[in-house]
């Protein structure tokens, strides 16, 4: 992550060890398991079980709640990835 990126965030992130799954659009529901390392209303840092080939259309599924939300991949480095939610998660307080 580049220096100063923390200051540029719209909301602070909370550490979490939630399970998730990245689902690729157009792949018949194919997904990659991940761990949600930290989370805010605007985005998250994910640790993937296997690296993901950059994809334009990706959804993040929060497990075990099975809540699905579209995300945009902002950065990726090996098995770590930063994503931005298409809309802020207003229900986040109920999840953490």
């Amino acid at each position: 992550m580049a220096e100063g990126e923390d200051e540029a965030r719209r909301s602070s992130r909370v550490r979490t060890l939630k399970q998730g799954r990245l689902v690729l659009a157009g792949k018949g529901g194919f997904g990659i398991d991940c761990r949600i390392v930290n989370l805010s209303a605007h985005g998250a840092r994910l640790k993937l079980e296997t690296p993901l080939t950059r994809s334009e259309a990706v959804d993040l599924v929060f497990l075990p709640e099975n809540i699905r939300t579209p995300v945009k991949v902002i950065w990726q480095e090996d098995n770590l990835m930063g994503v931005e939610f298409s809309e802020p998660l207003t229900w986040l307080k109920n999840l953490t």
Side-chain angles (χ1 to χ4, degrees), residues 25-94:
K27 299 288 185 186
F30 174 76
I32 296 174
D33 291 333
C34 66
R35 186 165 303 261
I36 303 166
V37 178
N38 63 37
L39 183 63
S40 78
H42 294 95
R45 178 183 297 194
L46 310 175
K47 183 173 184 180
L48 308 177
E49 296 295 323
T50 57
L52 173 69
T53 303
R54 192 93 176 203
S55 176
E56 294 300 315
V58 181
D59 287 345
L60 176 61
V61 181
F62 292 87
L63 299 173
E65 298 85 3
N66 205 31
I67 299 171
R68 186 172 179 154
T69 189
V71 298
K72 177 181 178 184
V73 177
I74 301 299
W75 62 268
Q76 184 175 355
E77 186 176 307
D78 298 323
N79 287 15
L80 292 175
M81 174 183 288
V83 298
E84 179 180 63
F85 303 126
S86 58
E87 294 182 18
L89 303 183
T90 56
W91 45 263
L92 183 63
K93 290 178 185 174
N94 299 331

